[in-house]
Amino acid sequence: MNQIEELRRRLESRELFQPLFEDFLRRSITAQKEEETDPLNPYNFSSFYEMFIDNYARINTDIVFECCESPIERIFINSLTLLFLKNRNMELHVTPPLADIEQAICNYRSNHRNILGLISKYKEKSGDNELINFEHHVQRKIDSGRYKQGDFEIFEYHRLVLDNFIWNSYHLSLQAGFPNYRVDGKSIRADILVWCPGNEKIKLIVECDGYEYHSSKESFEKDRKRDRLLKSKGYDVIRFSGSEIFRDPVKVSSDLYDFIEDVYGFD
């Protein structure tokens, strides 16, 4: 078995991927710590980086293995996850499938803005700029019946979104549904949508074209109709064939990473 074959096996299998992932994670955290001038300072960026990346990189991996429908997609996105770790880039957030991705994104941004407004109003009225008593404030609203417990959970999530830079990270939504866009009477579902909560200009659809489903003339024509419709709606569309992903997963993940960096730019 050559190196590429072994890598494919590790990227596709959860059991085999885990030690590879742990090695990349450890190396990424170690490299970040080595850059710090005072590694014993608990307020160094590396301390935050270790907690953040350990949490969100694991969440990304769990979602990939739970939600990716094809081995090709698992290989592709797991390779991309490792590349983000290698580059010590925190701006990757994988999300599960969403049946109506545009509505979900709209709700996400609207909720976030509303919650930021609520927090801003609380700070202005209370003078509690560090939000020390914010949880108690919300709990009183829950007890009075004005808020529900679920509301506070949403508040806390969006505070984390802001605090942990997720607002400006790249979200990879798997199997993103577009029920309002139809080709030959059938609604569109994209393999991957790359978007950013804080930047409405980032709208990138990535398709992983397996030979089995994209080899006929009919499929070829349908793919082009989909691409034209999506581009007319403001989306960039790029395609990777299943064979090139299978042949060199490192190359295709690097190509996608470079495309995002060149077109949209990492902060």
Side-chain angles (χ1 to χ4, degrees):
M1 182 181 301
N2 62 36
Q3 289 183 336
I4 293 294
E5 290 174 330
E6 176 61 23
L7 176 60
R8 281 199 303 266
R9 290 180 64 249
R10 292 187 175 218
L11 293 172
E12 183 181 347
S13 162
R14 185 166 199 156
E15 181 181 1
L16 296 178
F17 181 71
Q18 193 60 37
L20 181 62
F21 169 81
E22 295 291 346
D23 182 58
F24 270 74
L25 182 63
R26 176 182 57 81
R27 289 172 182 267
S28 181
I29 292 170
T30 299
Q32 185 61 46
K33 287 181 177 179
E34 289 176 348
E35 283 193 358
E36 301 288 358
T37 55
D38 182 4
L40 298 179
N41 183 352
Y43 301 105
N44 276 336
F45 176 75
S46 60
S47 299
F48 169 79
Y49 178 82
E50 180 174 3
M51 290 186 292
F52 180 91
I53 205 72
D54 184 79
N55 182 38
Y56 280 97
R58 292 183 192 281
I59 291 173
N60 288 342
T61 298
D62 287 342
I63 292 173
V64 169
F65 281 107
E66 290 168 8
C67 301
C68 272
E69 295 187 344
S70 77
I72 286 296
E73 290 174 18
R74 287 197 296 273
I75 290 170
F76 188 18
I77 301 174
N78 282 335
S79 179
L80 185 66
T81 298
L82 296 182
L83 182 57
F84 270 76
L85 281 174
K86 178 178 180 292
N87 292 339
R88 285 177 281 156
N89 189 331
M90 301 188 299
E91 299 177 343
L92 179 67
H93 183 66
V94 179
T95 80
L98 296 166
D100 188 340
I101 186 66
E102 292 188 321
Q103 186 62 56
I105 292 173
C106 180
N107 292 343
Y108 188 101
R109 288 174 173 148
S110 177
N111 288 339
H112 188 71
R113 285 190 291 267
N114 290 340
I115 289 165
L116 290 184
L118 184 147
I119 292 173
S120 177
K121 186 178 295 184
Y122 166 79
K123 288 180 178 179
E124 181 181 342
K125 288 186 175 182
S126 68
D128 179 15
N129 292 326
E130 301 301 322
L131 300 176
I132 295 171
N133 297 313
F134 181 70
E135 184 173 352
H136 179 66
H137 167 76
V138 175
Q139 187 60 54
R140 280 187 297 154
K141 299 290 186 182
I142 294 172
D143 293 341
S144 69
R146 184 172 178 181
Y147 294 157
K148 298 178 181 179
Q149 186 61 42
D151 294 330
F152 178 67
E153 293 172 1
I154 294 174
F155 295 160
E156 286 298 284
Y157 172 74
H158 281 273
R159 283 178 59 199
L160 289 172
V161 165
L162 187 67
D163 292 343
N164 291 340
F165 309 115
I166 302 173
W167 185 245
N168 291 313
S169 69
Y170 291 92
H171 285 47
L172 269 67
S173 292
L174 309 176
Q175 300 301 320
F178 295 85
N180 298 320
Y181 303 156
R182 307 183 74 84
V183 172
D184 296 339
K186 187 175 180 180
S187 62
I188 291 176
R189 188 177 69 167
D191 290 338
I192 303 167
L193 172 66
V194 181
W195 58 283
C196 175
N199 188 340
E200 297 185 12
K201 294 182 179 180
I202 298 175
K203 300 168 67 175
L204 173 64
I205 286 173
V206 182
E207 298 286 3
C208 307
D209 294 343
Y211 181 78
E212 180 180 357
Y213 299 103
H214 298 269
S215 58
S216 69
K217 179 180 179 181
E218 180 182 359
S219 296
F220 182 89
E221 291 179 352
K222 185 176 180 180
D223 287 343
R224 272 62 198 168
K225 290 180 182 179
R226 281 164 47 102
D227 291 356
R228 289 195 299 271
L229 175 57
L230 289 166
K231 288 178 181 179
S232 74
K233 302 299 181 180
Y235 290 90
D236 294 319
V237 182
I238 59 175
R239 291 182 175 273
F240 295 93
S241 71
S243 58
E244 64 178 325
I245 295 171
F246 190 77
R247 184 170 59 249
D248 195 345
V250 174
K251 175 65 165 57
V252 293
S253 62
S254 295
D255 286 349
L256 178 56
Y257 186 95
D258 291 343
F259 182 91
I260 294 173
E261 182 175 30
D262 293 342
V263 176
Y264 305 119
F266 294 116
D267 292 333

